[in-house]
Amino acid sequence: MRAVVYDAFGEPPRVETVPDPAPAPHGAVVHVEATGVCRSDWHGWMGHDPDIRRFPHVPGHELAGVVEAVGARVTRWAPGDRVTVPFVCACGTCRECAAGRHQICDRQSQPGFTHWGSFAELTAIDWADVNLVALPDELEADAAAALGCRFATAYRAVLQVARVRAGEWVAVHGCGGVGLSAVMLAVAAGARVVALDISATALARARDLGAELAVPAGADVRALTDGGAHASLDAIGSEAACAASLAGLRKAGRHVQVGLLPEPPRLPMDLVIARELELLGSHGMAAHAYPEMLALVAAERLRPGDLVTSRIALDDAPGALVAMSDGSPDGITVVRP
């Protein structure tokens, strides 16, 4: 198969022919129809993720495709099934999985990190019966690719972790793929959204998706929202965005960290204490939680396809990954191998 490969952290990625994967007894191989270029892939390429330990490596973890082959112990899936998968693949049997918290599975695997990923024509998925998610026929692969990470991550972060309610102010710091997904989801929940970014294009996109305010990063959120946001997300992953998210909250507000932070941040913990703020993390979404989200997509109350801003071929994926070093892209870039 053809795949994007790199030999060391930060080294130029390239497209080459590599051996096809085979399914594990409990796993499946998926023929990739579309995969997203996510900032987490960039973090992995830069060496910020300790799960990448062997080279050469194939990145990519947001995917939609068709089951190509399954292992002998797989009972729920067969070749030809259209599927997506969470970026955290759970084992289904550990203590966390038994509690329903598959997204923090003790034995998790992650395509594109713990093993080769979806910047390829084929990719292997562990524990297929636990992790594969059936896609409705009417949902095209480009839109479905974002469900594996950015859109599903934002869905859980906004609705389940931040517990956003109608009428609340929600601040979204960083309007790349996950941030714009968060804007769409918060608006759909009836919240009032203030979006912040350094890019005028990203702010325009946030406005189009329903953000009531779209302002440059560093704006005074507390002044703009009559005392501060009820909930706020760092959707880009930087010390400055994380600190600004906390500073912009009203008393008893809820901060959710979604973006990966390459280094431990220095945070205004004095504000956390004085305002009794909640600090929360959000790490994807379990496969068993997808049906509720997919029902809203089917009803067109959520439109992940609107977030796709560009479609590129596999040969263009190395350049798209490298380009993320200059900042977060607006929306979602989809690779079609």
Side-chain angles (χ1 to χ4, degrees), residues 41-231:
D41 299 313
W42 179 85
H43 279 294
W45 172 59
M46 292 298 293
H48 300 157
D49 194 305
D51 287 327
I52 300 176
R53 301 171 184 171
R54 298 180 181 178
F55 296 101
H57 185 69
V58 176
H61 63 286
E62 291 184 315
L63 67 123
V66 177
V67 175
E68 179 88 1
V70 298
R73 288 163 45 193
V74 174
T75 61
R76 296 182 54 209
W77 306 96
D81 291 339
R82 292 190 71 235
V83 296
T84 187
V85 62
F87 76 87
V88 175
C89 290
C91 72
T93 57
C94 71
R95 177 174 53 191
E96 297 301 334
C97 286
R101 297 187 289 262
H102 290 196
Q103 73 280 355
I104 51 172
C105 169
D106 288 334
R107 296 193 293 152
Q108 65 186 254
S109 63
Q110 297 184 20
F113 297 93
T114 58
H115 61 284
W116 283 10
S118 56
F119 279 25
E121 294 172 330
L122 301 167
T123 192
I125 301 299
D126 291 331
W127 300 298
D129 283 341
V130 176
N131 295 300
L132 294 184
V133 177
L135 290 175
D137 291 338
E138 61 271 17
L139 185 61
E140 66 172 13
D142 289 2
L147 300 179
C149 179
R150 282 170 284 190
F151 197 81
T153 294
Y155 183 90
R156 183 167 176 274
V158 170
L159 299 179
Q160 298 172 2
V161 178
R163 312 183 303 278
V164 167
R165 296 181 290 271
E168 290 188 324
W169 276 106
V170 175
V172 178
H173 295 260
C175 295
V178 70
L180 291 174
S181 299
V183 169
M184 178 186 287
L185 289 156
V187 169
R192 305 173 71 184
V193 177
V194 52
L196 300 98
D197 202 284
I198 61 173
S199 163
T201 303
L203 294 176
R205 291 273 294 155
R207 243 180 250 110
D208 291 342
L209 291 170
E212 186 171 332
L213 300 171
V215 296
D220 187 345
V221 172
R222 282 168 64 83
L224 292 169
T225 58
D226 191 26
H230 298 83

Side-chain angles (χ1 to χ4, degrees), residues 1-6 13-16 18 32 34-42 45 57-63 111-112 116-123 150 312-322 324 333-337:
M1 69 173 181
R2 299 177 73 240
V4 174
V5 177
Y6 55 85
R14 64 192 183 279
V15 176
E16 65 176 42
V18 298
V32 180
T35 186
V37 182
C38 178
R39 178 157 288 274
S40 297
D41 299 313
W42 179 85
W45 172 59
H57 185 69
V58 176
H61 63 286
E62 291 184 315
L63 67 123
W116 283 10
S118 56
F119 279 25
E121 294 172 330
L122 301 167
T123 192
R150 282 170 284 190
I312 62 175
L314 188 65
D315 287 325
D316 298 318
L321 185 63
V322 173
M324 297 189 89
T333 295
V334 166
V335 179
R336 297 188 66 92

Side-chain angles (χ1 to χ4, degrees), residues 232-245:
S232 184
L233 290 80
D234 172 8
I236 187 66
S238 77
E239 182 179 286
C242 183
S245 175

